[in-house]
Amino acid sequence: MPKAATSSARPALRRNQACLSCRKRKLKCDAARPHCGTCVKQWQSLISVPPPVGYAHPTEPQCSYDPVEGLPIAPNVEPTERIRILEEQISQLKSQLNEARNYDSRSTSPRRAHISQNGHRIGSGSSNGQTPESSPNGGGIVLPHASLDAVHQLSPDSTGSLPRGSTSSPELRQVTRQSVPDPLMDMLFAGWDPDLPDPDTLDHYIDIFFKCDPCGSRILHRPSFLASMHLHPKDPNYPHPAILHAICASASRWASQEIVTLPDGSRRDKFADLHVSKTRAYIDRTMATGQDIFPVMQACIILSWYFYQEGRWVEVWIFAGFQTRAAVPLRLNYPGTFTATGASNPGAYLAPPKDLQELESRRRTWWMTIMFDRIVSVGGWLHGVDERDIGTEFPLRRIDYETNASIPSNPQDLFTPDLFTHHPPLYTDAFILFLKAVMLFGRVTDYNTRNNLRANAPPSKNQNPFALPGFKELDQLVVQDFLHSLPPEFKHWEITTDGALDTDLYMVHLVPHAATITLHNPYLNFSDSTNTSTRRCLHATRSILAVYYRLSETSLDITRLHPFATICWYLAAVVQTQLCKYYIEIGDTVREQTVWGEINALRFAMLTYGSRSPIGTRQERLLQGLMTEIVRMTTQMQPLEVGVPLYPFSHAGVFSKETVPREATGAPLPDVTQYDTTAESPTAMAAMVGTMAPSPPTTSLSNWATPSVRSVPYAHNGHNGHAYPH
């Protein structure tokens, strides 16, 4: 007898209301949402038993229903795959719209369409002809970094644009501004990299980079680079975005307004940090794929010099190693930067240079890599590439490089016997001489490192270094031959009539003296008046002080010098610190006071440089650590707390309020009793060791006339006149 129906009986389901699983297995279904009771019970029974090896139970009941009327059923596609498909469709639609707008020349590029509003960065896509999928951030469209306020400012007529959640949906609103071009959309669909500044601001940073940067700008062919900036961002010859991001990071030193200096002297610059991260993203992608390896390597070099000026040593050493190792498989260390050996291996080596400009670009990229390696190895580190493995010719003169002059390759390389004493006029300028000086310094580092590695005991002050194999020849080359062999037009660095200074030539007259100190410092012995190493170091220190004093007479901004200058000042200060300790021990307070003034002058130079580049502040703090002992030993009252001017020829206007940072960046600024015209000058310490060994005559500081120069204000934003053209 059938059971009577109760009042609680569930009403019968209509057709197709049961879940798909119950209908397939012909089971009763209560159509509960999100999962019916039958499917829930079966799932609970399933998970109550441990799964077999290699099998995992489902995380929820396998219960689904027919789609709601009016909505299509979702295909059985993974979400990530669905996103990728949608991104490809968006990219195709963008390309079609871009072609429809006929963006085939720079006249309709983002530069014409761009309107800058309050510094907002607007744009989309990626440059250098790359698709969104090839950007370092992965696949997918990248939306512009513009706020809603910027969008409304750029689109004053877009009254119909309302954000989501308002009364009308963006998908359904009526657009009535077809006749008014939208600058934001112009840049969005023109392929502009959203992480770069707007085109006008980017042009400004590029201009500052070439005018102010003494390092990374050497690798780029300025005329063609500036010309390529007028191409469409998707043009294959448009500069690689990694290079543009690196330029923004480097130029921020002179133009950024978002810098915060921390108590330890380091800086935090949001603008620079953004572009550093973007450059590193491209470097990481290239390390994984090998794509665009040469332009990304150039960006890496620019970024490495930025790290060096920031005093970020760990990143400096890592990038130095990466650059040198990446350049070797590219065969940049071969003559002509190319070798046919193994060229049949796809992707292993660069193709032959297509023209002389590309050949010279490769040469300069290689030599800037080697220069960076030599400079960061000054502390006694092994070089990344041995000198014997470098067969690349030295670069051409900069004027020939930029004018695309058709002249033969430089006949000199590191195997040339008279490389450091013969300088052919057709292949010599200040930069090439600076490169030679750095390579000469590298030989000193190699000599010291290898001798220390194989020696049974560390160098001693009682040891005669001239008895060591190769020392006498290297000393002769570093101390005398190189500087004596300079062509007449490079014998002396001068301020030009328009108040400019060639910073490369300035370094040519600084680096050999720093190399001399590095070579002879382990053998210093102030108690022996006949010690040649002592005389060499004191002469080199006086020379470094002399060129700094002469520069400080002018109103030129020393923060525009090459950052290696701070290392040269530091090495000179190390010798002075040792000399000061000797004077304290023998009780010569008069000369001790003089040396204190010279130490503080070098400290002041480092701190002044550190006002813009933290490497100066870092080196000054390192010097303070070495000075701990003499500060404790001295009888001078507050030897570190003295005031400018430091020397008799200082002028009241040299360190004006605009040129001296108001906030302390390290130790107190120097101050010492001013040198009297008849008192001991910075050159008077030669009396301690008697007559110098044969060396270039030193001009008396009192005979130097103040050059006629422009008065250049300390312009941090990079908009004012530049005293150091490059």
PDB file of all heavy atoms in Angstrom, residues 219-234:
ATOM      1  N   ILE A 219      78.753  55.251 -24.140  1.00  0.00           N
ATOM      2  CA  ILE A 219      78.504  54.069 -24.975  1.00  0.00           C
ATOM      3  C   ILE A 219      77.494  54.338 -26.082  1.00  0.00           C
ATOM      4  O   ILE A 219      77.366  53.518 -26.999  1.00  0.00           O
ATOM      5  CB  ILE A 219      78.025  52.880 -24.121  1.00  0.00           C
ATOM      6  CG1 ILE A 219      76.649  53.177 -23.514  1.00  0.00           C
ATOM      7  CG2 ILE A 219      79.042  52.535 -23.055  1.00  0.00           C
ATOM      8  CD1 ILE A 219      76.068  52.004 -22.747  1.00  0.00           C
ATOM      9  N   LEU A 220      76.767  55.439 -26.010  1.00  0.00           N
ATOM     10  CA  LEU A 220      75.696  55.708 -26.972  1.00  0.00           C
ATOM     11  C   LEU A 220      76.156  56.698 -28.028  1.00  0.00           C
ATOM     12  O   LEU A 220      76.893  57.643 -27.735  1.00  0.00           O
ATOM     13  CB  LEU A 220      74.460  56.242 -26.251  1.00  0.00           C
ATOM     14  CG  LEU A 220      73.844  55.317 -25.198  1.00  0.00           C
ATOM     15  CD1 LEU A 220      72.680  56.012 -24.516  1.00  0.00           C
ATOM     16  CD2 LEU A 220      73.390  54.005 -25.817  1.00  0.00           C
ATOM     17  N   HIS A 221      75.705  56.484 -29.248  1.00  0.00           N
ATOM     18  CA  HIS A 221      75.962  57.417 -30.341  1.00  0.00           C
ATOM     19  C   HIS A 221      74.895  58.508 -30.261  1.00  0.00           C
ATOM     20  O   HIS A 221      73.748  58.307 -30.678  1.00  0.00           O
ATOM     21  CB  HIS A 221      75.911  56.679 -31.679  1.00  0.00           C
ATOM     22  CG  HIS A 221      76.288  57.529 -32.850  1.00  0.00           C
ATOM     23  ND1 HIS A 221      75.356  58.124 -33.662  1.00  0.00           N
ATOM     24  CD2 HIS A 221      77.506  57.886 -33.339  1.00  0.00           C
ATOM     25  CE1 HIS A 221      75.964  58.805 -34.607  1.00  0.00           C
ATOM     26  NE2 HIS A 221      77.273  58.681 -34.436  1.00  0.00           N
ATOM     27  N   ARG A 222      75.269  59.618 -29.736  1.00  0.00           N
ATOM     28  CA  ARG A 222      74.277  60.647 -29.381  1.00  0.00           C
ATOM     29  C   ARG A 222      73.436  61.109 -30.570  1.00  0.00           C
ATOM     30  O   ARG A 222      72.202  61.157 -30.456  1.00  0.00           O
ATOM     31  CB  ARG A 222      74.978  61.835 -28.726  1.00  0.00           C
ATOM     32  CG  ARG A 222      74.027  62.941 -28.298  1.00  0.00           C
ATOM     33  CD  ARG A 222      74.752  64.045 -27.566  1.00  0.00           C
ATOM     34  NE  ARG A 222      73.836  65.100 -27.150  1.00  0.00           N
ATOM     35  CZ  ARG A 222      74.196  66.150 -26.414  1.00  0.00           C
ATOM     36  NH1 ARG A 222      75.441  66.264 -26.019  1.00  0.00           N
ATOM     37  NH2 ARG A 222      73.308  67.061 -26.082  1.00  0.00           N
ATOM     38  N   PRO A 223      74.022  61.484 -31.711  1.00  0.00           N
ATOM     39  CA  PRO A 223      73.174  61.976 -32.818  1.00  0.00           C
ATOM     40  C   PRO A 223      72.129  60.961 -33.267  1.00  0.00           C
ATOM     41  O   PRO A 223      70.949  61.305 -33.433  1.00  0.00           O
ATOM     42  CB  PRO A 223      74.193  62.278 -33.929  1.00  0.00           C
ATOM     43  CG  PRO A 223      75.481  62.517 -33.210  1.00  0.00           C
ATOM     44  CD  PRO A 223      75.453  61.578 -32.049  1.00  0.00           C
ATOM     45  N   SER A 224      72.535  59.702 -33.479  1.00  0.00           N
ATOM     46  CA  SER A 224      71.564  58.717 -33.951  1.00  0.00           C
ATOM     47  C   SER A 224      70.565  58.356 -32.857  1.00  0.00           C
ATOM     48  O   SER A 224      69.395  58.066 -33.151  1.00  0.00           O
ATOM     49  CB  SER A 224      72.287  57.452 -34.429  1.00  0.00           C
ATOM     50  OG  SER A 224      72.999  56.843 -33.365  1.00  0.00           O
ATOM     51  N   PHE A 225      71.003  58.397 -31.594  1.00  0.00           N
ATOM     52  CA  PHE A 225      70.083  58.091 -30.510  1.00  0.00           C
ATOM     53  C   PHE A 225      68.985  59.155 -30.434  1.00  0.00           C
ATOM     54  O   PHE A 225      67.798  58.829 -30.308  1.00  0.00           O
ATOM     55  CB  PHE A 225      70.836  58.019 -29.186  1.00  0.00           C
ATOM     56  CG  PHE A 225      69.986  57.587 -28.022  1.00  0.00           C
ATOM     57  CD1 PHE A 225      69.819  56.246 -27.717  1.00  0.00           C
ATOM     58  CD2 PHE A 225      69.325  58.519 -27.220  1.00  0.00           C
ATOM     59  CE1 PHE A 225      69.025  55.841 -26.651  1.00  0.00           C
ATOM     60  CE2 PHE A 225      68.536  58.135 -26.165  1.00  0.00           C
ATOM     61  CZ  PHE A 225      68.388  56.784 -25.872  1.00  0.00           C
ATOM     62  N   LEU A 226      69.383  60.424 -30.512  1.00  0.00           N
ATOM     63  CA  LEU A 226      68.383  61.496 -30.471  1.00  0.00           C
ATOM     64  C   LEU A 226      67.469  61.434 -31.688  1.00  0.00           C
ATOM     65  O   LEU A 226      66.270  61.714 -31.588  1.00  0.00           O
ATOM     66  CB  LEU A 226      69.084  62.855 -30.388  1.00  0.00           C
ATOM     67  CG  LEU A 226      69.908  63.110 -29.125  1.00  0.00           C
ATOM     68  CD1 LEU A 226      70.558  64.488 -29.182  1.00  0.00           C
ATOM     69  CD2 LEU A 226      69.035  62.990 -27.876  1.00  0.00           C
ATOM     70  N   ALA A 227      68.029  61.067 -32.827  1.00  0.00           N
ATOM     71  CA  ALA A 227      67.191  60.947 -34.026  1.00  0.00           C
ATOM     72  C   ALA A 227      66.200  59.799 -33.886  1.00  0.00           C
ATOM     73  O   ALA A 227      65.040  59.908 -34.311  1.00  0.00           O
ATOM     74  CB  ALA A 227      68.074  60.744 -35.253  1.00  0.00           C
ATOM     75  N   SER A 228      66.629  58.703 -33.277  1.00  0.00           N
ATOM     76  CA  SER A 228      65.732  57.557 -33.128  1.00  0.00           C
ATOM     77  C   SER A 228      64.588  57.846 -32.164  1.00  0.00           C
ATOM     78  O   SER A 228      63.546  57.194 -32.220  1.00  0.00           O
ATOM     79  CB  SER A 228      66.515  56.338 -32.639  1.00  0.00           C
ATOM     80  OG  SER A 228      67.019  56.544 -31.335  1.00  0.00           O
ATOM     81  N   MET A 229      64.751  58.825 -31.288  1.00  0.00           N
ATOM     82  CA  MET A 229      63.671  59.191 -30.381  1.00  0.00           C
ATOM     83  C   MET A 229      62.500  59.827 -31.112  1.00  0.00           C
ATOM     84  O   MET A 229      61.412  59.953 -30.552  1.00  0.00           O
ATOM     85  CB  MET A 229      64.182  60.151 -29.307  1.00  0.00           C
ATOM     86  CG  MET A 229      65.100  59.518 -28.273  1.00  0.00           C
ATOM     87  SD  MET A 229      64.315  58.170 -27.364  1.00  0.00           S
ATOM     88  CE  MET A 229      62.947  59.023 -26.589  1.00  0.00           C
ATOM     89  N   HIS A 230      62.693  60.218 -32.370  1.00  0.00           N
ATOM     90  CA  HIS A 230      61.599  60.793 -33.158  1.00  0.00           C
ATOM     91  C   HIS A 230      60.845  59.737 -33.956  1.00  0.00           C
ATOM     92  O   HIS A 230      59.915  60.067 -34.690  1.00  0.00           O
ATOM     93  CB  HIS A 230      62.139  61.869 -34.097  1.00  0.00           C
ATOM     94  CG  HIS A 230      62.649  63.077 -33.386  1.00  0.00           C
ATOM     95  ND1 HIS A 230      61.833  64.071 -32.894  1.00  0.00           N
ATOM     96  CD2 HIS A 230      63.916  63.438 -33.045  1.00  0.00           C
ATOM     97  CE1 HIS A 230      62.560  65.002 -32.301  1.00  0.00           C
ATOM     98  NE2 HIS A 230      63.822  64.638 -32.376  1.00  0.00           N
ATOM     99  N   LEU A 231      61.269  58.494 -33.826  1.00  0.00           N
ATOM    100  CA  LEU A 231      60.541  57.418 -34.486  1.00  0.00           C
ATOM    101  C   LEU A 231      59.326  57.023 -33.664  1.00  0.00           C
ATOM    102  O   LEU A 231      59.181  57.427 -32.507  1.00  0.00           O
ATOM    103  CB  LEU A 231      61.464  56.208 -34.672  1.00  0.00           C
ATOM    104  CG  LEU A 231      62.719  56.421 -35.513  1.00  0.00           C
ATOM    105  CD1 LEU A 231      63.592  55.179 -35.466  1.00  0.00           C
ATOM    106  CD2 LEU A 231      62.359  56.778 -36.942  1.00  0.00           C
ATOM    107  N   HIS A 232      58.487  56.207 -34.294  1.00  0.00           N
ATOM    108  CA  HIS A 232      57.335  55.705 -33.573  1.00  0.00           C
ATOM    109  C   HIS A 232      57.802  54.696 -32.528  1.00  0.00           C
ATOM    110  O   HIS A 232      58.765  53.948 -32.761  1.00  0.00           O
ATOM    111  CB  HIS A 232      56.359  55.047 -34.542  1.00  0.00           C
ATOM    112  CG  HIS A 232      55.058  54.677 -33.908  1.00  0.00           C
ATOM    113  ND1 HIS A 232      54.865  53.481 -33.269  1.00  0.00           N
ATOM    114  CD2 HIS A 232      53.886  55.366 -33.801  1.00  0.00           C
ATOM    115  CE1 HIS A 232      53.640  53.431 -32.789  1.00  0.00           C
ATOM    116  NE2 HIS A 232      53.023  54.556 -33.106  1.00  0.00           N
ATOM    117  N   PRO A 233      57.180  54.634 -31.342  1.00  0.00           N
ATOM    118  CA  PRO A 233      57.631  53.688 -30.313  1.00  0.00           C
ATOM    119  C   PRO A 233      57.661  52.240 -30.755  1.00  0.00           C
ATOM    120  O   PRO A 233      58.391  51.432 -30.180  1.00  0.00           O
ATOM    121  CB  PRO A 233      56.611  53.898 -29.188  1.00  0.00           C
ATOM    122  CG  PRO A 233      56.133  55.294 -29.359  1.00  0.00           C
ATOM    123  CD  PRO A 233      56.121  55.525 -30.838  1.00  0.00           C
ATOM    124  N   LYS A 234      56.866  51.873 -31.758  1.00  0.00           N
ATOM    125  CA  LYS A 234      56.867  50.495 -32.231  1.00  0.00           C
ATOM    126  C   LYS A 234      57.851  50.256 -33.366  1.00  0.00           C
ATOM    127  O   LYS A 234      57.968  49.136 -33.861  1.00  0.00           O
ATOM    128  CB  LYS A 234      55.457  50.091 -32.675  1.00  0.00           C
ATOM    129  CG  LYS A 234      54.480  49.919 -31.518  1.00  0.00           C
ATOM    130  CD  LYS A 234      53.148  49.375 -32.016  1.00  0.00           C
ATOM    131  CE  LYS A 234      52.201  49.131 -30.852  1.00  0.00           C
ATOM    132  NZ  LYS A 234      52.682  48.051 -29.972  1.00  0.00           N
TER     133      LYS A 234
END
